[in-house]
Amino acid sequence: MKRMKATIAYDGSGFAGYQVQPDSRTVQQELMKVLATIHKGQVVQVVASGRTDAKVHATGQVIHFDTPLSIPMQGWLKALNVLLPEDIRVLEIGETDATFHARYHTSGKTYRYKWDRSKIISPFTRNYMVHVKQQVDVIAMKKAAASVLGTHDFSSFCAANTGVVDKVRTVRRLDFEEHGEELHMVIEGSGFLYNMVRIIAGTLMEVGLGRRTADELASIVAAADRSTAGKTAAAHGLYLEKVTYSH
């Protein structure tokens, strides 16, 4: 058996999330369906770096699976991309160490969150960016973001229904980029709690809209209480951009 590691991209608009769910279209389900075809009906388990929610996109998700087949990299790329639906693409694939694990060996992840500040949002970007009609104070958002950097208990920025006990995570980078009318938040860290990036995005946008002050962020982090932070930003503005590994 060989262990294959692949980087994939997908448009989350038509999916109920990454992970297989009954009676719902998911990314994992589509990958397993295609791999079963290539393996003549044999079930092939696919492991990802982590699940993404319904409507969340990925430009750099990483997966692994085991196969007895000997197919060159270009052959895998062609076969998978011919058989997969158009809203999933395999960007690169290759054989990896048999001990590699797409989920357990991650050393960091980078997410990008996108807002569109146009007066009227284009019908072509409505599924890929969140529309913000009001004026946004990006300087205040950058100031507030400084309180999120570093190692903290991020309970304030975690969905209340999670079963995770240890909520300490490290945010290594949190930047804002302006691309014309688009505003992007880029966040990189050791790992993220359920809905953590979307809650941080929603809270920082509340600062940008003047509903909170930049100075409030430090006390929100310190409170370790979900009720102190802002609303969870909409899923369709979020992209899993990059997954890094220690080896």
Side-chain angles (χ1 to χ4, degrees):
M1 294 291 277
K2 303 172 191 69
R3 180 152 292 187
M4 306 300 292
K5 174 186 176 185
T7 302
I8 66 170
Y10 47 86
D11 173 350
S13 306
F15 294 106
Y18 170 81
Q19 193 170 31
V20 168
Q21 300 169 41
D23 306 318
S24 296
R25 183 172 183 257
T26 69
V27 178
Q28 186 181 29
Q29 174 195 56
E30 295 289 351
L31 289 165
M32 289 179 66
K33 197 189 300 180
V34 165
L35 286 169
T37 300
I38 293 172
H39 290 79
K40 300 195 167 30
Q42 182 185 341
V43 175
V44 178
Q45 293 298 330
V46 181
V47 178
S49 71
R51 68 186 73 173
T52 51
D53 285 344
K55 311 296 182 190
V56 173
H57 314 289
T59 54
Q61 172 71 283
V62 175
I63 62 167
H64 85 249
F65 62 89
D66 294 330
T67 178
L69 305 179
S70 294
I71 303 172
M73 184 176 128
Q74 287 305 317
W76 274 114
L77 272 179
K78 186 175 180 183
L80 288 165
N81 286 329
V82 163
L83 294 168
L84 281 165
E86 291 184 338
D87 46 6
I88 306 175
R89 277 294 164 266
V90 178
L91 306 178
E92 57 182 28
I93 186 169
E95 190 174 344
T96 187
D97 189 272
T99 61
F100 170 80
H101 197 285
R103 181 180 173 193
Y104 296 138
H105 293 165
T106 59
S107 59
K109 287 183 181 176
T110 303
Y111 285 91
R112 183 175 294 265
Y113 197 91
K114 298 183 181 182
W115 292 278
D116 184 337
R117 299 172 293 175
S118 306
K119 286 195 173 114
I120 301 168
I121 193 166
S122 164
F124 304 108
T125 59
R126 64 191 168 84
N127 291 326
Y128 309 104
M129 283 184 260
V130 172
H131 193 207
V132 182
K133 298 176 188 175
Q134 304 96 312
Q135 195 76 23
V136 179
D137 185 345
V138 181
I139 294 170
M141 292 174 78
K142 288 179 178 178
K143 184 183 175 188
S147 296
V148 179
L149 285 169
T151 303
H152 308 283
D153 178 335
F154 279 99
S155 295
S156 294
F157 301 94
C158 178
N161 59 350
T162 183
V164 176
V165 177
D166 180 10
K167 297 187 177 72
V168 174
R169 298 291 185 275
T170 301
V171 174
R172 298 190 275 250
R173 176 189 170 206
L174 208 178
D175 296 328
F176 287 93
E177 300 174 0
E178 295 185 76
H179 303 274
E181 295 297 330
E182 294 181 24
L183 174 63
H184 297 186
M185 180 189 84
V186 182
I187 185 168
E188 190 258 322
S190 60
F192 294 91
L193 299 163
Y194 184 51
N195 280 352
M196 178 172 159
V197 176
R198 288 168 56 194
I199 296 168
I200 289 172
T203 306
L204 291 176
M205 180 49 71
E206 289 181 11
V207 172
L209 296 173
R211 295 172 190 164
R212 295 175 184 269
T213 66
D215 295 334
E216 282 181 60
L217 261 290
S219 58
I220 292 171
V221 173
D225 178 355
R226 174 67 187 96
S227 67
T228 62
K231 289 183 179 176
T232 306
H236 66 275
L238 183 63
Y239 296 73
L240 172 56
E241 188 166 271
K242 186 179 180 184
V243 185
T244 52
Y245 292 89
S246 50
H247 68 280

